[in-house]
Amino acid sequence: MIAETSMAKPLKKLVSCVILDLDGTLLNTDGVVSEVLKGFLTKYGKQWDGREAQRIVGKTPLEAAAAVVEEYGLPCGKEEFLAELHPVFYAQLCNIKPLPGASRLLKHLSGHGVPMALASNSPRGSIESKISYHQGWKDYFSAIVGGDEVTAGKPSPEIFLEAAKRLNREPSSCLVIEDSMPGVTAGKAAGMEVVAVPSVPKQAHLYTSADEVINSLLDLQPEKWGLPPFQDWIEGTLPTEPWYISGPVIKGFGRGSKVLGIPTANLSPKGHSSLLSEHPSGVYFGWAGLSTRGVYKMVMSIGWNPYFNNAEKTIEPWLLHEFTEDFYGEELRLVIVGYLRPE
Ligand code: ADP
Ligand code: MG
């Protein structure tokens, strides 16, 4: 279609292979680290604050433990805390979930014969055990480079240069996908193209050295790099596995959405934190059921409130129907079937 051609994004640079970071890019390792830390804090009589999750992103388990010991004033040294934490964390490796869009991306690129490598600061053994829990993942990668296989980890470029060497490619024809700042620095120092997928919300402005910053892997457009485009978008929408969320409609932030003609029947994020952490912020669509009224088409944003440093995401569904009255307090059930765009 002519309209589509003229809307095509300009080519950034041609690459022929992709080098991926693991923790925070393909796997939600921080989710499991948070869960483990949460459990430990309870033991010490402290309560985990959701905002803490942002403080441990991109850190090694030791750095994360140090941050938590300090933040909560725990009566133990960080080594002691880590020694306690370590076995618990390793027992949880099997529970680390792929980040949204990770499996889709790997399957897509591998299906088109694009060579891929994994490059992580974690030791090789730990990388292999983490990916062993995800069917088919090991076979996607033509090369794996761990932090223990080079003299210096990221932000040194060494790990990426070694990955390129093992893929038999020039650094300039490699695309790096990374969530952390040290990783982005390493990729650029290696002379590679770098797409950043920051794990910490609202930090995108810090990633200026990356060639592109995206909100989640769902937003990656491989064609910008000369790679085969995804074919699962349908008329600007990306169908997803259905997921469900429900609760009573609560008062939102009074941002005057109604005045603008887009009232959003907010749900409380309480009790939905793990579900919400599995889905990137962004605009989704699906169906909404109100028990006494009916079922309606629905467009919903999941987001980080722009005004407050809130610990939880917000859930704001707009029902595509004209209501003559408000329905605060009523039970609202949502099924989400597709993704539209970032926030
Ligand atoms: P708040 O900040 O309290 O969410 P809004 O301006 O977003 O205020 O208005 C949301 C309220 O408007 C909902 O809780 C609901 O009771 C009512 N409402 C009326 N029509 C709709 C609609 N089509 N979609 C969502 N909410 C609607
Ligand atoms: Mg609202």
Side-chain angles (χ1 to χ4, degrees):
M1 261 164 38
I2 291 167
E4 254 170 29
T5 316
S6 61
M7 277 166 60
K9 300 286 182 310
L11 193 65
K12 293 232 181 203
K13 186 159 189 273
L14 276 172
V15 303
S16 67
C17 63
V18 177
I19 306 178
L20 297 128
D21 169 58
L22 184 61
D23 300 302
T25 299
L26 293 175
L27 290 181
N28 188 6
T29 315
D30 291 321
V32 162
V33 174
S34 302
E35 284 307 312
V36 169
L37 289 173
K38 212 186 271 185
F40 267 89
L41 285 175
T42 312
K43 225 181 81 181
Y44 283 98
K46 310 261 177 182
Q47 213 202 324
W48 172 260
D49 176 335
R51 270 165 287 203
E52 223 55 55
Q54 306 188 10
R55 224 159 282 163
I56 64 161
V57 164
K59 293 196 163 126
T60 65
L62 178 63
E63 290 166 343
V68 167
V69 167
E70 188 186 64
E71 183 71 25
Y72 289 85
L74 298 186
C76 63
K78 61 181 181 188
E79 278 82 12
E80 190 190 330
F81 186 61
L82 188 74
E84 235 185 297
L85 202 89
H86 224 255
V88 183
F89 174 66
Y90 275 89
Q92 291 297 317
L93 289 189
C94 57
N95 292 323
I96 303 177
K97 291 191 183 148
L99 282 158
S103 295
R104 165 180 178 256
L105 173 64
L106 296 176
K107 202 177 285 175
H108 171 72
L109 293 176
S110 123
H112 285 85
V114 177
M116 286 185 277
L118 262 185
S120 164
N121 270 1
S122 300
R124 172 82 185 233
S126 155
I127 300 174
E128 292 196 351
S129 60
K130 281 178 209 162
I131 66 173
S132 71
Y133 298 106
H134 304 282
Q135 214 199 334
W137 278 34
K138 195 171 195 313
D139 300 328
Y140 288 141
F141 304 106
S142 313
I144 295 176
V145 188
D148 53 346
E149 296 179 87
V150 291
T151 51
K154 304 167 193 176
S156 158
E158 206 185 326
I159 218 161
F160 286 125
L161 292 172
E162 180 61 27
K165 201 161 115 193
R166 294 190 196 172
L167 287 175
N168 233 334
R169 306 284 159 136
E170 289 301 317
S172 62
S173 56
C174 298
L175 176 66
V176 165
I177 305 181
E178 258 293 346
D179 73 300
S180 76
M181 245 344 272
V184 170
T185 306
K188 287 318 292 176
M192 299 177 179
E193 295 296 296
V194 180
V195 172
V197 198
S199 308
V200 185
K202 296 189 281 188
Q203 295 284 297
H205 61 286
L206 300 177
Y207 287 68
T208 46
S209 59
D211 297 286
E212 188 180 24
V213 183
I214 56 178
N215 185 56
S216 82
L217 293 176
L218 297 179
D219 297 318
L220 183 74
Q221 295 182 293
E223 63 274 26
K224 282 192 183 174
W225 312 94
L227 297 170
F230 281 109
Q231 281 147 352
D232 49 0
W233 286 86
I234 301 173
E235 294 181 24
T237 67
L238 179 63
T240 56
E241 280 295 308
W243 53 283
Y244 307 86
I245 194 163
S246 64
V249 175
I250 60 161
K251 273 272 170 196
F253 296 94
R255 276 182 259 173
S257 320
K258 212 177 298 177
V259 181
L260 298 171
I262 43 162
T264 56
N266 298 46
L267 292 184
S268 168
K270 295 222 167 49
H272 298 302
S273 54
S274 71
L275 189 60
L276 289 173
S277 71
E278 275 173 39
H279 298 280
S281 62
V283 183
Y284 296 81
F285 67 95
W287 304 88
L290 282 165
S291 43
T292 60
R293 298 171 193 267
V295 173
Y296 310 94
K297 290 179 182 173
M298 173 278 296
V299 179
M300 168 175 86
S301 94
I302 294 183
W304 297 100
N305 185 286
Y307 302 110
F308 306 104
N309 176 25
N310 49 340
E312 305 270 22
K313 284 171 176 165
T314 58
I315 310 163
E316 308 211 25
W318 174 38
L319 281 51
L320 305 189
H321 181 79
E322 289 279 342
F323 292 91
T324 49
E325 56 191 4
D326 289 348
F327 42 85
Y328 288 109
E330 289 185 32
E331 184 72 10
L332 178 64
R333 287 167 300 135
L334 308 174
V335 54
I336 296 94
V337 299
Y339 172 73
L340 289 170
R341 59 173 176 83
E343 250 186 307

